[in-house]
Structures are given as structure tokens and as C-alpha cells.
């Protein structure tokens, strides 16, 4: 199948196409279509680790959350990028700010794991809905709900799996009134055009609370293919550095 062949209009803001064939990690074990029972056990270990993102972080179980990551792990979300310990501190600070910031929770919907035994590496892609509660003028609460895909790049060191890189791609988002009778004036379509299609309302909200959003996390932009290439390289044992979307290599 030719991934470039599609009848979707090029100006479709939710344009979704097959990733390029060259980004496919040919020799990885996945979904029990290849490999053996030991591979299944290793993939389940990886899955359990990655599901801790929502289970531990949302409950402020920071010791458990930190156990998911190797010490050199690098995190890139829409609102914060940096080493894992910096990200945890920013998350703690965000909870402390309460309604002056955003109340972030996660609904985990499922995931897949690609495993490379030869290189002791794995990539997990996890479907998640992020729900962020924002409090605007006069105490009006609105939820942003964003459907997205989490990407975890893991490595097994001294017999222990841990996350080395994490980032995400946004598919689409929306705004929901907490109280159906109380809402705010939403930005116009023209105002929203400056933000990536996959999370344009979230970007607008993050700007409102003083947290400029990272602007290259849309699953409908060129960053998707760059990220898939990085995932392939990771499984092949190659060096990978942030930014995982291909812009401005970060020294960390």
C-alpha cells in the first residue's frame, strides 16, 4: 500500500495518512504476531511501566512515578520540556497553584509495544485522553479534552526497563463546559489558526494561564514522521536526542 496515496484534501486540518514505509521497524517484536512467549512477558513489563504515567502522576504518587524512568530521562509535553526531575518538580508546582494553573488528568485507552531484544529497547505508543480543567474569569470552569498518542522510548539496563524519552502527538481536542449553564467566549476560528490543529484549544488555554505551548506536537503535521523515524532509530540501537520532532537538538 502506498502511504502517499490518499483522496483526503491537503487542507484537511485532521489529515491522517499511513506513516512512511521506511519508518517501520522491521525486526521488532509486536502484538504476538512474531517473537515468542518471553517477548510477551517483556512487552507486558513495558506496558505496566507506561500505564504508571496516568495512575501515578494524577494521584501525585511521585516516588512511584519516578520509578518509571532512568535517571537521564527527557520529557517533552505541550507545557513543559526537560529532564525528568525538572518535570516532576514542575508538576508538583502545578498542583500547588491549583485553579491558577490547570488540573491535568489522563484516561488511558490502550497501547502497543514494539520490542527489540537485540538492543534491549522498546517503544510504547499509548492512546490517551488528557483532560485539563481551566478556571477562567468569575470562576467559570471549562475542561479541555485532547485525544492523543503518548510515545515512550524505553531501554533495559542491568535487567531493569525504564523510560529514556517521552513525548506525545495530539489528534484533536475540544472544550466542554463543567456547568452547562456557565461558559466563556471562545476564540474565533481565525484566532485559532495560529495553533496546530491537533490541540488548538489546549494551546489557547495554556497561553491564557501563562504557559506558552510547544507548537510541534500535532499528529497531522510533519513532526509525526520525524518522530516515527526516531522511534525506528531507537529500536535499531541508534543514538536519539531531543527534540524528538526534529527541531533544535537539545543538550540535556
Amino acid at each position: 500500500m502506498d502511504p502517499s496515496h490518499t483522496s483526503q484534501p491537503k487542507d484537511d486540518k485532521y489529515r491522517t495518512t499511513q506513516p512512511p514505509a521506511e519508518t517501520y521497524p522491521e525486526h521488532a517484536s509486536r502484538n504476538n504476531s512474531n517473537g515468542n512467549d518471553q517477548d510477551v512477558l517483556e512487552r507486558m513489563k513495558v506496558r505496566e511501566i507506561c500505564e504508571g504515567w496516568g495512575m501515578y502522576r494524577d494521584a501525585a504518587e511521585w516516588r512511584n512515578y519516578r520509578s518509571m524512568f532512568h535517571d537521564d530521562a527527557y520529557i517533552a509535553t505541550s507545557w513543559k520540556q526537560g529532564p525528568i526531575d525538572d518535570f516532576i518538580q514542575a508538576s508538583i508546582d502545578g498542583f500547588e497553584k491549583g485553579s491558577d494553573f490547570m488540573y491535568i488528568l489522563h484516561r488511558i485507552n490502550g497501547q502497543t509495544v514494539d520490542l527489540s531484544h537485540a538492543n534491549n529497547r522498546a517503544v510504547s505508543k499509548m492512546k490517551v485522553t488528557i483532560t485539563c480543567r481551566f478556571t477562567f474569569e468569575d470562576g467559570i470552569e471549562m475542561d479541555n479534552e485532547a485525544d492523543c498518542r503518548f510515545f515512550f522510548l524505553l531501554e533495559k539496563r542491568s535487567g531493569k526497563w525504564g523510560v529514556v524519552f517521552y513525548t506525545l502527538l495530539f489528534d484533536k481536542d475540544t472544550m466542554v463546559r463543567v456547568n452547562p449553564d456557565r461558559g466563556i467566549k471562545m476564540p474565533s476560528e481565525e484566532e485559532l489558526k495560529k495553533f496546530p490543529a491537533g490541540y488548538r484549544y489546549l494551546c489557547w488555554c495554556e497561553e491564557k494561564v501563562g504557559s506558552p505551548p510547544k507548537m510541534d506536537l500535532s499528529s497531522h503535521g510533519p513532526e509525526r514522521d520525524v518522530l516515527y523515524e526516531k522511534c525506528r532509530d531507537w529500536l535499531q540501537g541508534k543514538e536519539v536526542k531531543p527534540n524528538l520532532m526534529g527541531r533544535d537538538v537539545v543538550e540535556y
Side-chain angles (χ1 to χ4, degrees), residues 8 35-36 45 50 54 104 120 137 144 148 151 157 159 167 190 200 212 217 221 240 247:
Q8 298 176 64
N36 52 43
K45 290 178 183 178
C50 296
I104 307 170
N120 283 320
E137 297 83 1
N144 175 269
C148 52
F151 289 74
R157 301 174 182 173
T167 192
E190 192 63 32
R200 53 190 184 149
L217 297 173
V240 170
R247 304 173 188 168

Side-chain angles (χ1 to χ4, degrees), residues 78 102-107 129-136 141-148 170 172-178 186 192 197-206:
S78 62
M102 47 185 161
Y103 180 36
I104 307 170
L105 297 176
H106 303 81
R107 292 195 290 269
T129 299
I130 302 175
T131 172
C132 294
R133 179 153 297 179
F134 292 89
T135 304
F136 297 99
E141 294 179 323
M142 299 280 289
D143 282 350
N144 175 269
E145 298 211 342
D147 292 321
C148 52
F170 289 91
K172 64 178 177 65
D173 72 335
T174 188
M175 297 296 293
V176 180
R177 291 184 178 189
V178 175
M186 297 304 300
L192 291 171
Y199 56 122
R200 53 190 184 149
Y201 292 104
L202 178 62
C203 288
W204 179 78
C205 289
E206 288 183 348

